Amino acid sequence: MALTQPLAVEPCGWVLRVGFARGCRAVLCCPHIFLNIIICRTEKTLDLFLRQYMHKNKNSFLKSKKKIKKRIRNDKKSVFLAQNHSKMAKSDKFINPFTDFGFKKLFGEEANKDLLIAFLNTLLPAQHQIAVLTYKKNEQQGGTAFDRKAIYDLYCEGPNGSRFIVEMQKAKQNYFKDRSVFYATFPIQEQAVKGDEWDYKLAPVYLIGILDFIFDEDKAIKDRKVIHIVELKDQDNMLFYDKLMLLYLAMPNFRKKVEELQSFQDKWLYILKNLQDLSEIPVQLRDGIFKKLFQVADMANLSKEERQDYITSLKYYRDMKNVTDTAFQDGETKGKIEGLAEGEIKGKMEERLKNIQKAIRRGKLSDTEIAEDYELSLEEVQEIRSTRT
């Protein structure tokens, strides 16, 4: 199995490569030090040994079991999920709305348009509440054949021309905010009227992003808001333009329990977050529009073909989720290994440099002999001699 890409390339040209596979060997190289990281993966034990060889095979060991064992537990979970998608889907009572199938089943079918309207009205300002929606083509072409196109999860239009883009984002994506702004430009451009008579009046454009992750910058400031409303404002924080709004729902931040639900919006957010985990309909959600939602989401009401489509969609969602989570954990492990290895190497290099400087001060060995003992070039010894304090 090929090793992973280098995790670090400094200082002194050190290259750390780690391959997480049974019996895989990773090597950390620098001009005068060679280290082997041997990763042994078994069901019961996992030890990471950092073995450093210097000029006379003096060994030092570095162990970091906790992080790696956590990695193995998640790997086992991944294998379990991969082997049991179909079985788990059959045991679910309701579909997962974060899957492509589940999201479009609930909100993207003509027969269930009232579900989408009810949900959107909990997010939209009072002056822009909607009663009717028309589904539009979700693929938008650029101005020319060479321009980038946009494909939405859902794209709708209200009776007054208002445009609504609804995106379900399952995994964190670089530049997702940039992509959102880019997507929002298409409904604006399509409103242009050919000829000289158009006065540039635009209908409102809304982009609603339902996110199964939290933005990194929000994590950094420990922002726990569920709904982020983005509008164009001036330097005094006064609303400058009210016809463009981006709404992001950070679903991991929604933590209310069913008995804590108060508003209509709370109930919708609770369903989006917990639908796939429910085994029965909570008492608080048994009336009104929610009665229909649970009927549509009930696995027992799916046809054989729909059930198979859902299992495929669920497998894709869980695979993507697991890859994302593993990548994050790998980042933690990578940082741990880099920090430990760099600290160990730095300490050994400083100790080695002191020994070389001590040999130079004693004056008992020539530069050539020091170079041979410490596996240096004559030029390197002379450089150390010229810069020693």
Side-chain angles (χ1 to χ4, degrees), residues 233-286:
K233 297 185 177 182
D234 64 15
Q235 68 273 20
D236 298 317
N237 203 34
M238 299 294 291
L239 185 62
F240 172 76
Y241 186 73
D242 67 347
K243 293 182 180 179
L244 177 63
M245 182 182 290
L246 309 179
L247 297 99
Y248 301 104
L249 311 183
M251 296 308 301
N253 279 342
F254 185 81
R255 301 178 181 181
K256 287 187 178 182
K257 299 178 181 179
V258 67
E259 59 270 15
E260 298 173 331
L261 305 180
Q262 297 179 351
S263 65
F264 202 48
Q265 184 183 90
D266 282 348
K267 294 179 179 181
W268 271 106
L269 295 177
Y270 179 85
I271 289 174
L272 287 176
K273 177 76 177 289
N274 300 287
L275 180 60
Q276 70 278 5
D277 297 322
L278 297 176
S279 58
E280 60 181 6
I281 304 174
V283 176
Q284 297 87 338
L285 303 173
R286 291 184 180 179

Short mmCIF file of all heavy atoms in Angstrom, two decimals, residues 233-286:
data_model
loop_
_atom_site.label_atom_id
_atom_site.label_comp_id
_atom_site.label_asym_id
_atom_site.label_seq_id
_atom_site.Cartn_x
_atom_site.Cartn_y
_atom_site.Cartn_z
N LYS A 233 -25.79 44.94 4.74
CA LYS A 233 -25.93 46.07 5.65
C LYS A 233 -24.79 47.06 5.44
O LYS A 233 -23.74 46.72 4.90
CB LYS A 233 -25.96 45.58 7.09
CG LYS A 233 -27.15 44.68 7.40
CD LYS A 233 -27.22 44.32 8.88
CE LYS A 233 -28.46 43.47 9.16
NZ LYS A 233 -28.60 43.14 10.60
N ASP A 234 -25.01 48.30 5.89
CA ASP A 234 -23.98 49.32 5.71
C ASP A 234 -23.06 49.35 6.93
O ASP A 234 -23.15 48.50 7.83
CB ASP A 234 -24.60 50.69 5.44
CG ASP A 234 -25.43 51.21 6.63
OD1 ASP A 234 -25.30 50.66 7.74
OD2 ASP A 234 -26.21 52.16 6.42
N GLN A 235 -22.16 50.36 6.95
CA GLN A 235 -21.16 50.41 8.02
C GLN A 235 -21.76 50.68 9.39
O GLN A 235 -21.11 50.46 10.42
CB GLN A 235 -20.10 51.49 7.69
CG GLN A 235 -20.61 52.92 7.73
CD GLN A 235 -21.20 53.36 6.40
OE1 GLN A 235 -21.57 52.52 5.57
NE2 GLN A 235 -21.24 54.66 6.19
N ASP A 236 -23.02 51.15 9.44
CA ASP A 236 -23.69 51.39 10.71
C ASP A 236 -24.63 50.24 11.08
O ASP A 236 -25.49 50.39 11.94
CB ASP A 236 -24.47 52.70 10.65
CG ASP A 236 -23.58 53.91 10.42
OD1 ASP A 236 -22.51 53.96 11.06
OD2 ASP A 236 -23.92 54.77 9.59
N ASN A 237 -24.45 49.12 10.39
CA ASN A 237 -25.26 47.93 10.63
C ASN A 237 -26.74 48.15 10.29
O ASN A 237 -27.62 47.48 10.82
CB ASN A 237 -25.12 47.45 12.07
CG ASN A 237 -25.46 45.98 12.22
OD1 ASN A 237 -25.21 45.17 11.32
ND2 ASN A 237 -26.04 45.61 13.34
N MET A 238 -27.00 49.10 9.42
CA MET A 238 -28.36 49.36 8.95
C MET A 238 -28.60 48.55 7.67
O MET A 238 -27.70 48.44 6.81
CB MET A 238 -28.57 50.84 8.67
CG MET A 238 -28.38 51.73 9.89
SD MET A 238 -29.64 51.44 11.15
CE MET A 238 -31.10 52.09 10.30
N LEU A 239 -29.81 47.99 7.56
CA LEU A 239 -30.13 47.18 6.38
C LEU A 239 -30.06 48.03 5.13
O LEU A 239 -30.73 49.05 4.99
CB LEU A 239 -31.53 46.58 6.54
CG LEU A 239 -31.96 45.60 5.45
CD1 LEU A 239 -31.03 44.39 5.43
CD2 LEU A 239 -33.40 45.16 5.66
N PHE A 240 -29.23 47.61 4.20
CA PHE A 240 -29.03 48.35 2.96
C PHE A 240 -29.91 47.81 1.83
O PHE A 240 -30.42 48.56 1.00
CB PHE A 240 -27.55 48.29 2.56
CG PHE A 240 -27.25 48.86 1.20
CD1 PHE A 240 -27.21 50.24 1.00
CD2 PHE A 240 -27.00 48.03 0.11
CE1 PHE A 240 -26.93 50.77 -0.24
CE2 PHE A 240 -26.73 48.56 -1.14
CZ PHE A 240 -26.69 49.94 -1.32
N TYR A 241 -30.09 46.48 1.81
CA TYR A 241 -30.84 45.84 0.72
C TYR A 241 -31.56 44.63 1.29
O TYR A 241 -30.94 43.77 1.90
CB TYR A 241 -29.88 45.42 -0.38
CG TYR A 241 -30.55 44.89 -1.63
CD1 TYR A 241 -31.22 45.74 -2.50
CD2 TYR A 241 -30.51 43.54 -1.94
CE1 TYR A 241 -31.83 45.25 -3.66
CE2 TYR A 241 -31.11 43.04 -3.08
CZ TYR A 241 -31.77 43.91 -3.93
OH TYR A 241 -32.38 43.42 -5.07
N ASP A 242 -32.88 44.60 1.12
CA ASP A 242 -33.67 43.55 1.78
C ASP A 242 -34.16 42.46 0.82
O ASP A 242 -35.04 41.68 1.18
CB ASP A 242 -34.87 44.17 2.49
CG ASP A 242 -35.89 44.77 1.52
OD1 ASP A 242 -35.56 44.92 0.32
OD2 ASP A 242 -37.01 45.10 1.97
N LYS A 243 -33.58 42.41 -0.36
CA LYS A 243 -34.04 41.42 -1.33
C LYS A 243 -33.05 40.29 -1.57
O LYS A 243 -33.21 39.50 -2.50
CB LYS A 243 -34.37 42.10 -2.67
CG LYS A 243 -35.56 43.05 -2.60
CD LYS A 243 -35.85 43.63 -3.97
CE LYS A 243 -37.04 44.58 -3.93
NZ LYS A 243 -37.31 45.16 -5.27
N LEU A 244 -32.03 40.23 -0.74
CA LEU A 244 -31.08 39.11 -0.82
C LEU A 244 -30.80 38.65 0.60
O LEU A 244 -30.33 39.43 1.44
CB LEU A 244 -29.78 39.53 -1.50
CG LEU A 244 -28.70 38.44 -1.58
CD1 LEU A 244 -29.18 37.26 -2.40
CD2 LEU A 244 -27.41 39.01 -2.16
N MET A 245 -31.10 37.40 0.87
CA MET A 245 -30.89 36.87 2.21
C MET A 245 -30.34 35.44 2.12
O MET A 245 -30.86 34.61 1.39
CB MET A 245 -32.20 36.86 3.01
CG MET A 245 -32.07 36.35 4.44
SD MET A 245 -33.65 36.30 5.34
CE MET A 245 -33.96 38.05 5.52
N LEU A 246 -29.29 35.20 2.88
CA LEU A 246 -28.70 33.87 3.00
C LEU A 246 -28.97 33.38 4.42
O LEU A 246 -28.62 34.07 5.39
CB LEU A 246 -27.20 33.90 2.72
CG LEU A 246 -26.73 34.58 1.44
CD1 LEU A 246 -25.21 34.54 1.34
CD2 LEU A 246 -27.35 33.94 0.22
N LEU A 247 -29.58 32.23 4.54
CA LEU A 247 -29.87 31.66 5.85
C LEU A 247 -29.16 30.32 5.98
O LEU A 247 -29.35 29.42 5.14
CB LEU A 247 -31.38 31.46 6.06
CG LEU A 247 -32.24 32.71 6.05
CD1 LEU A 247 -32.90 32.88 4.69
CD2 LEU A 247 -33.32 32.62 7.13
N TYR A 248 -28.37 30.18 7.01
CA TYR A 248 -27.65 28.93 7.25
C TYR A 248 -28.14 28.32 8.56
O TYR A 248 -28.16 28.98 9.60
CB TYR A 248 -26.14 29.18 7.35
CG TYR A 248 -25.54 29.79 6.12
CD1 TYR A 248 -25.19 31.15 6.09
CD2 TYR A 248 -25.30 29.03 4.98
CE1 TYR A 248 -24.63 31.71 4.95
CE2 TYR A 248 -24.74 29.59 3.84
CZ TYR A 248 -24.41 30.94 3.83
OH TYR A 248 -23.86 31.49 2.71
N LEU A 249 -28.52 27.06 8.51
CA LEU A 249 -28.96 26.34 9.70
C LEU A 249 -27.85 25.38 10.12
O LEU A 249 -27.60 24.38 9.44
CB LEU A 249 -30.25 25.55 9.43
CG LEU A 249 -31.40 26.31 8.75
CD1 LEU A 249 -32.62 25.41 8.64
CD2 LEU A 249 -31.74 27.57 9.51
N ALA A 250 -27.18 25.69 11.21
CA ALA A 250 -26.11 24.82 11.74
C ALA A 250 -26.77 23.78 12.63
O ALA A 250 -26.88 23.96 13.85
CB ALA A 250 -25.09 25.65 12.50
N MET A 251 -27.20 22.68 12.04
CA MET A 251 -28.01 21.69 12.76
C MET A 251 -27.31 21.05 13.96
O MET A 251 -27.96 20.73 14.96
CB MET A 251 -28.50 20.62 11.79
CG MET A 251 -29.43 21.15 10.71
SD MET A 251 -30.82 22.11 11.36
CE MET A 251 -31.62 20.91 12.41
N PRO A 252 -25.98 20.84 13.93
CA PRO A 252 -25.34 20.28 15.14
C PRO A 252 -25.50 21.16 16.36
O PRO A 252 -25.37 20.68 17.49
CB PRO A 252 -23.86 20.16 14.73
CG PRO A 252 -23.90 20.01 13.24
CD PRO A 252 -25.03 20.88 12.79
N ASN A 253 -25.79 22.45 16.16
CA ASN A 253 -25.95 23.36 17.30
C ASN A 253 -27.35 23.28 17.92
O ASN A 253 -27.56 23.84 19.00
CB ASN A 253 -25.68 24.80 16.87
CG ASN A 253 -24.20 25.11 16.82
OD1 ASN A 253 -23.39 24.39 17.39
ND2 ASN A 253 -23.84 26.17 16.12
N PHE A 254 -28.28 22.62 17.23
CA PHE A 254 -29.63 22.50 17.80
C PHE A 254 -29.64 21.34 18.77
O PHE A 254 -29.49 20.19 18.39
CB PHE A 254 -30.66 22.28 16.69
CG PHE A 254 -32.08 22.27 17.21
CD1 PHE A 254 -32.75 23.46 17.45
CD2 PHE A 254 -32.73 21.08 17.48
CE1 PHE A 254 -34.05 23.46 17.94
CE2 PHE A 254 -34.03 21.06 17.98
CZ PHE A 254 -34.68 22.27 18.21
N ARG A 255 -29.88 21.64 20.06
CA ARG A 255 -29.76 20.62 21.09
C ARG A 255 -30.98 20.52 21.99
O ARG A 255 -30.93 19.89 23.05
CB ARG A 255 -28.51 20.90 21.94
CG ARG A 255 -27.23 20.92 21.12
CD ARG A 255 -26.02 21.25 21.94
NE ARG A 255 -24.82 21.29 21.12
CZ ARG A 255 -23.60 21.55 21.57
NH1 ARG A 255 -23.43 21.80 22.86
NH2 ARG A 255 -22.56 21.57 20.76
N LYS A 256 -32.07 21.12 21.59
CA LYS A 256 -33.26 21.06 22.43
C LYS A 256 -33.85 19.65 22.44
O LYS A 256 -33.85 18.95 21.42
CB LYS A 256 -34.31 22.04 21.92
CG LYS A 256 -33.98 23.50 22.21
CD LYS A 256 -35.15 24.40 21.83
CE LYS A 256 -34.85 25.86 22.17
NZ LYS A 256 -35.99 26.74 21.86
N LYS A 257 -34.35 19.27 23.59
CA LYS A 257 -35.07 18.01 23.71
C LYS A 257 -36.53 18.22 23.35
O LYS A 257 -37.02 19.35 23.32
CB LYS A 257 -34.93 17.47 25.14
CG LYS A 257 -33.48 17.18 25.54
CD LYS A 257 -33.39 16.69 26.97
CE LYS A 257 -31.95 16.42 27.36
NZ LYS A 257 -31.83 15.96 28.77
N VAL A 258 -37.24 17.14 23.10
CA VAL A 258 -38.61 17.26 22.61
C VAL A 258 -39.50 18.01 23.60
O VAL A 258 -40.39 18.77 23.19
CB VAL A 258 -39.19 15.86 22.27
CG1 VAL A 258 -39.36 15.03 23.55
CG2 VAL A 258 -40.49 15.99 21.52
N GLU A 259 -39.27 17.85 24.89
CA GLU A 259 -40.10 18.53 25.88
C GLU A 259 -39.76 20.02 25.98
O GLU A 259 -40.50 20.78 26.64
CB GLU A 259 -39.95 17.87 27.26
CG GLU A 259 -38.56 17.84 27.81
CD GLU A 259 -37.78 16.59 27.41
OE1 GLU A 259 -38.24 15.90 26.48
OE2 GLU A 259 -36.74 16.31 28.04
N GLU A 260 -38.68 20.44 25.36
CA GLU A 260 -38.28 21.86 25.39
C GLU A 260 -38.76 22.63 24.17
O GLU A 260 -38.53 23.84 24.08
CB GLU A 260 -36.75 21.96 25.48
CG GLU A 260 -36.17 21.34 26.75
CD GLU A 260 -34.65 21.30 26.74
OE1 GLU A 260 -34.05 21.22 25.63
OE2 GLU A 260 -34.06 21.35 27.82
N LEU A 261 -39.41 21.96 23.24
CA LEU A 261 -39.85 22.62 22.01
C LEU A 261 -40.98 23.60 22.32
O LEU A 261 -41.96 23.25 22.98
CB LEU A 261 -40.31 21.59 20.99
CG LEU A 261 -39.29 20.49 20.63
CD1 LEU A 261 -39.89 19.53 19.62
CD2 LEU A 261 -38.00 21.09 20.11
N GLN A 262 -40.85 24.82 21.80
CA GLN A 262 -41.85 25.84 22.06
C GLN A 262 -42.49 26.37 20.78
O GLN A 262 -43.71 26.38 20.65
CB GLN A 262 -41.23 27.00 22.84
CG GLN A 262 -40.71 26.59 24.22
CD GLN A 262 -40.06 27.75 24.96
OE1 GLN A 262 -39.85 28.83 24.40
NE2 GLN A 262 -39.75 27.54 26.23
N SER A 263 -41.68 26.79 19.85
CA SER A 263 -42.19 27.41 18.63
C SER A 263 -42.35 26.39 17.51
O SER A 263 -41.85 25.25 17.58
CB SER A 263 -41.25 28.52 18.17
OG SER A 263 -40.00 27.99 17.78
N PHE A 264 -43.05 26.81 16.46
CA PHE A 264 -43.20 26.00 15.26
C PHE A 264 -41.84 25.73 14.64
O PHE A 264 -41.56 24.63 14.14
CB PHE A 264 -44.12 26.74 14.29
CG PHE A 264 -44.78 25.87 13.27
CD1 PHE A 264 -45.42 24.68 13.63
CD2 PHE A 264 -44.76 26.21 11.92
CE1 PHE A 264 -46.02 23.87 12.68
CE2 PHE A 264 -45.37 25.41 10.97
CZ PHE A 264 -46.00 24.24 11.35
N GLN A 265 -40.99 26.74 14.71
CA GLN A 265 -39.63 26.60 14.16
C GLN A 265 -38.84 25.55 14.95
O GLN A 265 -38.12 24.73 14.35
CB GLN A 265 -38.91 27.94 14.21
CG GLN A 265 -37.53 27.93 13.60
CD GLN A 265 -36.84 29.27 13.74
OE1 GLN A 265 -36.14 29.52 14.72
NE2 GLN A 265 -37.04 30.14 12.75
N ASP A 266 -38.97 25.57 16.27
CA ASP A 266 -38.30 24.56 17.10
C ASP A 266 -38.67 23.15 16.66
O ASP A 266 -37.82 22.25 16.58
CB ASP A 266 -38.68 24.74 18.57
CG ASP A 266 -37.95 25.88 19.24
OD1 ASP A 266 -36.98 26.39 18.64
OD2 ASP A 266 -38.33 26.26 20.36
N LYS A 267 -39.94 22.95 16.40
CA LYS A 267 -40.43 21.62 16.03
C LYS A 267 -39.84 21.17 14.70
O LYS A 267 -39.45 20.01 14.54
CB LYS A 267 -41.95 21.62 15.99
CG LYS A 267 -42.59 21.83 17.36
CD LYS A 267 -44.11 21.84 17.28
CE LYS A 267 -44.73 22.04 18.66
NZ LYS A 267 -46.21 22.03 18.62
N TRP A 268 -39.77 22.09 13.75
CA TRP A 268 -39.18 21.74 12.45
C TRP A 268 -37.70 21.38 12.60
O TRP A 268 -37.22 20.41 12.02
CB TRP A 268 -39.35 22.88 11.46
CG TRP A 268 -40.63 22.81 10.69
CD1 TRP A 268 -41.74 23.58 10.86
CD2 TRP A 268 -40.95 21.89 9.64
NE1 TRP A 268 -42.73 23.21 9.98
CE2 TRP A 268 -42.26 22.17 9.22
CE3 TRP A 268 -40.25 20.86 9.02
CZ2 TRP A 268 -42.89 21.45 8.20
CZ3 TRP A 268 -40.87 20.15 8.00
CH2 TRP A 268 -42.17 20.45 7.60
N LEU A 269 -36.98 22.18 13.35
CA LEU A 269 -35.56 21.92 13.54
C LEU A 269 -35.34 20.60 14.28
O LEU A 269 -34.41 19.85 13.95
CB LEU A 269 -34.91 23.07 14.31
CG LEU A 269 -34.89 24.43 13.59
CD1 LEU A 269 -34.28 25.50 14.49
CD2 LEU A 269 -34.13 24.33 12.27
N TYR A 270 -36.18 20.31 15.24
CA TYR A 270 -36.06 19.04 15.98
C TYR A 270 -36.27 17.86 15.03
O TYR A 270 -35.54 16.86 15.09
CB TYR A 270 -37.09 19.00 17.11
CG TYR A 270 -37.03 17.71 17.91
CD1 TYR A 270 -36.14 17.57 18.96
CD2 TYR A 270 -37.86 16.64 17.59
CE1 TYR A 270 -36.07 16.38 19.68
CE2 TYR A 270 -37.80 15.45 18.31
CZ TYR A 270 -36.90 15.32 19.35
OH TYR A 270 -36.84 14.14 20.06
N ILE A 271 -37.26 17.97 14.16
CA ILE A 271 -37.53 16.87 13.21
C ILE A 271 -36.36 16.67 12.26
O ILE A 271 -35.92 15.54 12.01
CB ILE A 271 -38.83 17.15 12.44
CG1 ILE A 271 -40.03 16.99 13.38
CG2 ILE A 271 -38.96 16.21 11.24
CD1 ILE A 271 -41.36 17.39 12.75
N LEU A 272 -35.84 17.76 11.71
CA LEU A 272 -34.70 17.64 10.80
C LEU A 272 -33.51 16.98 11.49
O LEU A 272 -32.79 16.18 10.88
CB LEU A 272 -34.30 19.02 10.27
CG LEU A 272 -35.21 19.66 9.24
CD1 LEU A 272 -34.73 21.06 8.90
CD2 LEU A 272 -35.29 18.81 7.97
N LYS A 273 -33.29 17.32 12.74
CA LYS A 273 -32.13 16.81 13.47
C LYS A 273 -32.33 15.36 13.91
O LYS A 273 -31.37 14.57 13.92
CB LYS A 273 -31.89 17.70 14.69
CG LYS A 273 -30.76 17.26 15.62
CD LYS A 273 -29.41 17.58 15.05
CE LYS A 273 -28.29 17.20 16.02
NZ LYS A 273 -28.25 18.10 17.20
N ASN A 274 -33.56 14.97 14.26
CA ASN A 274 -33.75 13.69 14.95
C ASN A 274 -34.68 12.70 14.25
O ASN A 274 -34.90 11.61 14.78
CB ASN A 274 -34.33 13.96 16.35
CG ASN A 274 -33.40 14.82 17.19
OD1 ASN A 274 -32.36 14.37 17.64
ND2 ASN A 274 -33.78 16.08 17.39
N LEU A 275 -35.21 13.04 13.09
CA LEU A 275 -36.22 12.19 12.45
C LEU A 275 -35.77 10.74 12.32
O LEU A 275 -36.51 9.80 12.65
CB LEU A 275 -36.59 12.76 11.08
CG LEU A 275 -37.64 11.98 10.29
CD1 LEU A 275 -38.95 11.90 11.05
CD2 LEU A 275 -37.85 12.61 8.92
N GLN A 276 -34.57 10.51 11.84
CA GLN A 276 -34.10 9.15 11.58
C GLN A 276 -33.88 8.35 12.85
O GLN A 276 -33.78 7.12 12.80
CB GLN A 276 -32.80 9.18 10.76
CG GLN A 276 -31.58 9.69 11.50
CD GLN A 276 -31.51 11.20 11.53
OE1 GLN A 276 -32.42 11.89 11.06
NE2 GLN A 276 -30.41 11.74 12.05
N ASP A 277 -33.81 9.03 14.00
CA ASP A 277 -33.57 8.33 15.27
C ASP A 277 -34.85 8.04 16.05
O ASP A 277 -34.79 7.36 17.09
CB ASP A 277 -32.64 9.18 16.16
CG ASP A 277 -31.27 9.37 15.52
OD1 ASP A 277 -30.77 8.41 14.90
OD2 ASP A 277 -30.70 10.47 15.65
N LEU A 278 -35.97 8.52 15.56
CA LEU A 278 -37.23 8.33 16.28
C LEU A 278 -37.82 6.95 15.99
O LEU A 278 -37.81 6.48 14.85
CB LEU A 278 -38.24 9.41 15.87
CG LEU A 278 -37.87 10.86 16.20
CD1 LEU A 278 -38.92 11.81 15.65
CD2 LEU A 278 -37.70 11.04 17.70
N SER A 279 -38.31 6.32 17.02
CA SER A 279 -38.99 5.03 16.86
C SER A 279 -40.50 5.19 16.90
O SER A 279 -41.24 4.29 16.51
CB SER A 279 -38.54 4.06 17.95
OG SER A 279 -38.80 4.59 19.24
N GLU A 280 -40.96 6.34 17.36
CA GLU A 280 -42.38 6.65 17.38
C GLU A 280 -42.55 8.17 17.30
O GLU A 280 -41.58 8.92 17.50
CB GLU A 280 -43.06 6.11 18.63
CG GLU A 280 -42.49 6.65 19.92
CD GLU A 280 -43.18 6.07 21.14
OE1 GLU A 280 -44.02 5.17 20.97
OE2 GLU A 280 -42.89 6.53 22.26
N ILE A 281 -43.75 8.61 17.02
CA ILE A 281 -44.00 10.04 16.87
C ILE A 281 -44.21 10.66 18.25
O ILE A 281 -45.10 10.24 18.99
CB ILE A 281 -45.25 10.29 16.00
CG1 ILE A 281 -45.10 9.60 14.65
CG2 ILE A 281 -45.48 11.79 15.82
CD1 ILE A 281 -46.34 9.68 13.78
N PRO A 282 -43.42 11.65 18.63
CA PRO A 282 -43.60 12.31 19.92
C PRO A 282 -44.99 12.97 20.02
O PRO A 282 -45.53 13.42 19.00
CB PRO A 282 -42.49 13.36 19.96
CG PRO A 282 -41.47 12.88 18.97
CD PRO A 282 -42.24 12.18 17.90
N VAL A 283 -45.53 13.02 21.20
CA VAL A 283 -46.85 13.61 21.41
C VAL A 283 -46.89 15.05 20.92
O VAL A 283 -47.89 15.50 20.34
CB VAL A 283 -47.22 13.55 22.91
CG1 VAL A 283 -48.55 14.26 23.17
CG2 VAL A 283 -47.28 12.11 23.38
N GLN A 284 -45.80 15.78 21.11
CA GLN A 284 -45.75 17.19 20.74
C GLN A 284 -45.80 17.40 19.22
O GLN A 284 -45.97 18.54 18.76
CB GLN A 284 -44.48 17.84 21.29
CG GLN A 284 -44.38 17.87 22.80
CD GLN A 284 -43.77 16.60 23.37
OE1 GLN A 284 -43.77 15.54 22.72
NE2 GLN A 284 -43.25 16.67 24.58
N LEU A 285 -45.65 16.33 18.44
CA LEU A 285 -45.55 16.47 16.98
C LEU A 285 -46.61 15.65 16.25
O LEU A 285 -46.40 15.24 15.11
CB LEU A 285 -44.16 16.03 16.52
CG LEU A 285 -42.97 16.78 17.15
CD1 LEU A 285 -41.65 16.12 16.73
CD2 LEU A 285 -42.97 18.25 16.74
N ARG A 286 -47.75 15.46 16.87
CA ARG A 286 -48.75 14.58 16.28
C ARG A 286 -49.91 15.32 15.61
O ARG A 286 -50.91 14.70 15.24
CB ARG A 286 -49.31 13.63 17.34
CG ARG A 286 -48.29 12.61 17.82
CD ARG A 286 -48.87 11.63 18.81
NE ARG A 286 -47.88 10.66 19.24
CZ ARG A 286 -48.09 9.69 20.13
NH1 ARG A 286 -49.31 9.58 20.68
NH2 ARG A 286 -47.15 8.86 20.46
#
